[in-house]
Amino acid sequence: MLLSLIFRNAFRHKLRTLLTVVGLTVAVLAFGLLSTVVEAWYAGAEGASNARLVVRNAISLVFPLPLTYRQKIRQIEGVRGITTANWFGGIYKEPKNFFPQFAVEASSYLDLYPEYLLSEAERKDFQRDRKGAIVGEKLAATYGFKVGDTVTLKGTIYPGQWEFVIRGIYNGRDAKTDVSQMLFHWDYLNETMKIRIPRRANQIGVYVVEVADPSRVAEISRIIDNEFKNSNAETLSETEKAFQLGFVSMTEAIVVAIRLVSYLVIFIILAVMANTMAMTVRERTAEYATLKALGFGPRFVLLLIYGESLAIAALGGALGIALTFPVAVAFGNAMGTLFKVFAVSGATVALQAACALAVGFISALVPAYRAARVNIVAGLRSIG
Amino acid sequence: MSEPLISLHNIVKSYRRGQQTVPVLSGVTFDIAAGEFLALMGPSGSGKSTLLNLIAGIDRPDSGQLIVAGEDIGRLPEAALADWRARHVGFIFQFYNLLPVLSALENVELPLLLKDMPRRERRERAELALSMVGLSDRLDHAPSELSGGQQQRVAIARALITDPTLIVADEPTGDLDRESANDVLRLMQRLNDEIGKTIIMVTHDSRAAGHAHAIMHLEKGELSGREEVGK
Ligand SMILES: Nc1ncnc2c1ncn2[C@@H]1O[C@H](COP(=O)(O)OP(=O)(O)O)[C@@H](O)[C@H]1O
Ligand SMILES: [Mg+2]
C-alpha cells in the first residue's frame, strides 16, 4: 500500500509529472551524449601503444624529418622495428568529409600495427600496387568504399589531385582500434612529389619505432633524441600514447567546456525538479498533517516524499539512459569518421544513473524536511 | 462516578501573532466521563478547535494539566504522543481529509498500517467498518467519486477502524447539506449508543448539538457551563 501510495502520488498531476520526466530524460540523455563525446575524444589515445615510440621533429609536428634517419634509428640497440608515416590531410570531395590519411612505408607498417587485421590476399594486393590503399571498415562503411574502387583526394599539404585504388579493408583487433583511417604508399607520394615539388621529396613525417623491451622505452627514446642532437632536424621521441595525448590536450579547453555544459544541464534539471517537488509538497501540506494526526511519524512522511521524488527521477533517468544508446549510434554515424570509437561506456551509464538519483534525492531534501516537521494544527488549517 | 476519561485542569493556551500574544484559552477546567457524547459550542474564534486539538493530542497547552485516557499528554514527547494518538483517538474533520489517491477502502485501512496486522485482516476490518457506515457498495470509489456525506462517512469508518478510546469531530457537518448532516449525526449517535464510543464534537450548529448528550459553551476562552440535552 505504501508503494502504491507513492506511485499514485507521483502521477497525480499527470502533465506536471510528464513534463518533469521528459525534462529529466532529455537532461540525462544530453549528459550521456556529452560524456560519450569526451570519451570518444580520449579514445584516440587509449588504443595507442606504450611499446611504440613516435619520433617527430622536435620543433613541431608540421616539420618533417630526413629519410636518412631511418637507418640510424634502426641500428640503435633495442629497436626491433621501424616504419614511417606522413600525415596527408587530403580532402575527399568536401572538406567536411574528414578522415585521417597516412602515407606509410607499406612494406613495414602493418608489421608494427598488428591490431589492423587484413587478409593475407588483400595485404599482398596492397603491397603490389603502388597506388594501392587500405581503409578501415568504419571508413569504408561511411563512404561506401569497396575493394577495387578508385578514390580521389585533393591534397592540401601535398598539392594536386591524388588517385588511389582500394586494395583492402582492415578490421580492428578490438574496439579501441582506429578503423577510420586510410593508409597508402609513401613511395607513391614521394615519387609524385619528386616531379611536382622536388625540394619536398624524401621527407618523413614521423618514424614509428617498435621497442623490443617495453620497459626500456624511456631509455631508448633518450638515445634516439641524443643521436640527432645538434643536427639540423632534432627529434622528439615519445610513446604513441603520450604523442596522442599531446594531440588531444591541444583541445583540452573544449573538453573542459563540454564537461561543464553536461553538468550544467543536470544542475538545471535539478532546479526544475526541486521547484516541482516544493510545489507538490506544499499543495499536500494538509494531507501530511492528516497523516501525522492519525499517528504516522515524520519518517513515514519523509518516505512518501523521497519515494515519490526518487521514483520520478528513476523513471526519467532510465528513459534517458535507454535513449542514449540509439541516439549515440545515430550521432556517431552522423559524425562519420571524426571519432574512431563512439560507444556509450559503462562509466557513462553509471554517471547518468548517479546524476538522476542525485537529482531525485536533492530535490526532495528541503520539501521533505519541511513536510516532516509540519505543525499538525497549522498544516490542517492549510487547505490544499 | 468512576475516574473521568478526560480531565482538564487550568488549561491555558495562547498564540503568538508577531509581537502580540493572543490568549485563546484562559484556565479551562472540566472532566468528561467515558461514554459521553459532548457537543462543544461557541461563537467563531472562541477557541473550540483549539480546545479539541489539545484533547486530541495534536496541540500542546502552555500550562495546565491535561490527562486523557490515563496519560498526561501535555508531557509526552512527540513520538510517544503520535503512538498515543494512533491508539486512542479517531479523527473526523470538517473537510473529511481523505487521501485523494486512495480508494474508500484504502483510506479506511490506512490507520491500520501503524498496527502490526496482516494485509488480509486489514482488508476485512476496513470492509466491516465501511459496511457499518452503509458504504459496502463504494469500496473502490475514490473520494472524488463520492458525495460530501459519503466522504464524511468514509472518514467516520477511518476514525472507527482502530477502535479508539475517543472520537473527536471538528465541525463534522460544517460542509454538508442538511440531509447528509443528519445521516452523519445519526451515525455518530449510533456509535455512542451502540458501541459506547466517547465523542467530542465541535459545532456552531445548535441542531447538530442536539444529537449529543450534553452541550458545553465556550465564550472568550472560558467555559460557561454545561447543559444536558433533554431526550
Ligand atoms: N496558529 C494560530 N496562530 C495564531 N492564532 C491562532 C492560531 N490558531 C488559532 N488562532 C486564533 O485563536 C482563536 C481561536 O481559534 P479556534 O480555536 O480555531 O476557534 P473556533 O474553532 O472556536 O472558531 C482565534 O482567534 C484564532 O484566530
Ligand atoms: Mg474551529
Side-chain angles (χ1 to χ4, degrees), chain A residues 144-351:
Chain A
F145 296 154
K146 289 184 296 296
V147 172
D149 284 0
T150 298
V151 173
T152 305
L153 299 182
K154 185 169 166 294
T156 54
I157 302 166
Y158 303 95
Q161 296 292 119
W162 301 78
E163 252 184 31
F164 306 96
V165 181
I166 309 279
R167 289 300 175 197
I169 294 173
Y170 71 85
N171 301 315
R173 190 176 50 195
D174 52 49
K176 289 175 185 162
T177 306
D178 191 344
V179 285
S180 60
Q181 307 190 81
M182 172 170 169
L183 308 173
F184 59 87
H185 291 250
W186 178 84
D187 288 346
Y188 172 45
L189 177 78
N190 199 44
E191 265 145 44
T192 312
M193 288 305 283
K194 272 180 186 164
I195 300 162
R196 291 186 186 166
I197 313 174
R199 67 179 165 82
R200 286 187 56 195
N202 295 332
Q203 292 181 338
I204 296 296
V206 298
Y207 289 98
V208 180
V209 173
E210 186 181 24
V211 176
D213 176 3
S215 66
R216 290 184 59 208
V217 116
E219 175 197 344
I220 289 172
S221 74
R222 272 194 303 278
I223 296 174
I224 295 173
D225 292 345
N226 275 330
E227 174 81 28
F228 303 111
K229 206 147 215 154
N230 301 322
S231 72
N232 52 10
E234 293 194 356
T235 61
L236 177 69
S237 308
E238 51 194 354
T239 65
E240 193 172 63
K241 192 160 212 154
F243 176 74
Q244 297 268 22
L245 277 175
F247 201 70
V248 168
S249 68
M250 291 197 286
T251 49
E252 191 77 37
I254 297 175
V255 170
V256 169
I258 293 177
R259 284 238 160 94
L260 219 66
V261 168
S262 66
Y263 281 99
L264 208 63
V265 168
I266 295 295
F267 184 78
I268 291 168
I269 196 65
L270 170 63
V272 171
M273 174 107 177
N275 182 53
T276 308
M277 283 313 294
M279 196 153 62
T280 300
V281 169
R282 204 177 318 119
E283 284 170 3
R284 297 184 194 156
T285 304
E287 287 169 38
Y288 299 128
T290 304
L291 283 168
K292 288 181 75 176
L294 296 182
F296 289 93
R299 247 189 284 156
F300 186 80
V301 174
L302 287 177
L303 203 63
L304 282 185
I305 297 171
Y306 277 116
E308 178 170 350
S309 187
L310 286 171
I312 292 173
L315 181 60
L319 286 174
I321 290 170
L323 277 177
T324 305
F325 289 92
V327 173
V329 168
F331 190 79
N333 289 341
M335 289 292 106
T337 44
L338 181 57
F339 299 112
K340 61 176 195 174
V341 185
F342 197 82
V344 184
S345 70
T348 294
V349 171
L351 262 182

Side-chain angles (χ1 to χ4, degrees), chain A residues 1-2 4-5 8-9 12 286-288 290-297 300 304 375-377 380-381 383, chain B residues 15 53 58-59 82-83 85-86 91 93 95 97 99-103 106 109-111 113-114 119 122 158:
Chain A
M1 183 141 143
L2 176 63
S4 111
L5 183 56
R8 282 187 243 172
N9 269 339
R12 226 149 115 177
E287 287 169 38
Y288 299 128
T290 304
L291 283 168
K292 288 181 75 176
L294 296 182
F296 289 93
F300 186 80
L304 282 185
N375 175 280
I376 298 175
V377 174
L380 287 173
R381 281 168 165 264
I383 296 302
Chain B
Y15 284 109
N53 292 341
I58 57 176
D59 205 353
D83 289 343
R85 284 195 303 270
F91 287 88
F93 304 96
F95 299 105
N97 291 34
L99 294 198
V101 291
L102 297 183
S103 68
E106 290 166 328
E109 199 186 326
L110 188 65
L113 288 183
L114 288 167
R119 194 188 146 84
R122 290 201 314 253
R158 178 178 68 185

